[in-house]
Amino acid sequence: MTIKEGVRQLFKKGEPHNKKTSKRERADNLRGWAVIGPLVLYYAIFGLIPLGIVFYYSFFKDDLFAGKVFVGFENFITFFSDEYYYTLLFDTLLIAVFTIGLSLAFGLLLAKLMTSQIRGKSFYRTVYYLPVVISMAVIAQIANVWLEYNNGTVNNLIVAFGGQRIMWKDSTFWMYFWIIVICVWKGLGATVILFVAGLSGISTEIYEAADVDGANKFVKFFKITLPQLKPMFIFVLITSIIGAFNVFEPVQLISAGGPDGSTKVILYQIYDEAFQNGNFGMGSAISVIVMVILFILTALNMKFGESKD
């Protein structure tokens, strides 16, 4: 029997074998849907439906007397025509650039150290990952104790060394500084673990060949390590961008957007518009804009991060 005849026989109607195959396929499909069905349902309920509601509300404005009023694209026009929102975007980008840059630099450095021949590597990996699993609310409370003016830990140390107390929360510079430090410290463990996984996947034979050719540490790092880490680097960069634009808890719990609203970020403004001012339409419109910005940045990173032939 030729292959063509076998295929024809397989799909011939009325054959028992075809019925058995169909039953088997249906059973496999049912098992597959039984596995992914709850995930799809969860994503639809907590992802797609809320997203649709946000899009819907973005075209409305909440009026104290008239209630919910359809305004079309007015909320989006207001966002792109008001300098206040540009300042919010700039402040968010400022925190994002420093947070991402420091996280990538220190994460790669620590990952490189943890993949070298040192004792207690597992212990150090655990220590650096601990901040990731600690709630930001707890970290913010600790930070508030550290930064308290009269009895704060940092000010007490400064006074002990002969310095003057600093009013941390009255300074825009220091509030930005501490928010960036806390965000970097909180997420550094995840970055380190990912880079450790990437470094562990690089074949030692490549480094051995480079040693034979007389390559030094800097050449091996820039010519071998970084190119081999490119896929992981792009993944970490994308997740870091998303995380940087989602900075909210440190601003709310430490600076409360102050002093005088100078440390407000875009996500805090969404919270402020929707839940403090009761303007769910504007809050939804800003959410849609942030989603589009993140989508564009992610697409650009994936595009420029593709390996070239």
Side-chain angles (χ1 to χ4, degrees), residues 21-259:
T21 303
S22 299
K23 290 180 180 180
R24 190 183 307 115
E25 288 177 353
R26 285 196 295 268
D28 290 340
N29 289 335
L30 287 174
R31 281 193 293 268
W33 279 109
V35 174
I36 68 171
L39 298 177
V40 173
L41 183 63
Y42 176 86
Y43 180 70
I45 295 175
F46 296 101
L48 296 179
I49 294 176
L51 183 62
I53 294 173
V54 168
F55 270 102
Y56 173 77
Y57 271 107
S58 65
F59 297 105
F60 289 85
K61 183 177 181 180
D62 293 283
D63 188 88
L64 181 62
F65 300 101
K68 188 170 62 175
V69 180
F70 179 78
V71 294
F73 291 95
E74 182 181 323
N75 291 324
F76 297 95
I77 295 172
T78 301
F79 182 90
F80 288 108
S81 60
D82 194 333
E83 293 183 1
Y84 173 74
Y85 294 107
Y86 284 104
T87 303
L88 289 177
L89 277 177
F90 176 78
D91 293 342
T92 305
L93 286 172
L94 182 66
I95 292 178
V97 167
F98 280 100
T99 302
I100 294 169
L102 293 172
S103 295
L104 292 176
F106 284 107
L108 185 55
L109 175 63
L110 291 171
K112 191 66 177 174
L113 292 173
M114 291 183 189
T115 52
S116 60
Q117 298 299 322
I118 59 174
R119 293 182 179 180
K121 290 189 291 186
S122 299
F123 171 76
Y124 291 120
R125 293 178 186 178
T126 303
V127 169
Y128 278 104
Y129 195 77
L130 280 177
V132 178
V133 299
I134 299 176
S135 170
M136 180 58 81
V138 176
I139 293 174
Q141 186 61 36
I142 295 172
N144 286 327
V145 173
W146 287 353
L147 302 179
E148 208 272 330
Y149 178 74
N150 292 318
N151 297 310
T153 306
V154 180
N155 274 337
N156 287 341
L157 288 173
I158 293 174
V159 171
F161 284 98
Q164 297 293 324
R165 297 182 183 275
I166 300 175
M167 299 184 70
W168 306 105
K169 295 191 177 184
D170 290 340
S171 169
T172 301
F173 170 80
W174 285 117
M175 278 293 92
Y176 271 117
F177 173 82
W178 287 113
I179 288 171
I180 291 170
V181 167
I182 290 170
C183 289
V184 171
W185 177 72
K186 176 77 166 63
L188 189 61
T191 304
V192 170
I193 292 297
L194 290 172
F195 278 137
V196 166
L199 290 170
S200 300
I202 302 175
S203 175
T204 56
E205 295 178 356
I206 304 177
Y207 291 106
E208 292 171 358
D211 290 331
V212 173
D213 292 337
N216 58 36
K217 292 183 179 179
F218 291 100
V219 172
K220 288 190 289 185
F221 179 77
F222 287 103
K223 297 293 184 179
I224 298 175
T225 304
L226 287 183
Q228 292 291 321
L229 273 180
K230 188 176 181 180
M232 182 61 73
F233 194 89
I234 295 300
F235 175 77
V236 173
L237 182 61
I238 291 172
T239 54
S240 298
I241 290 173
I242 295 173
F245 269 84
N246 285 326
V247 170
F248 171 71
E249 291 169 301
V251 176
Q252 182 195 27
L253 300 175
I254 298 175
S255 70

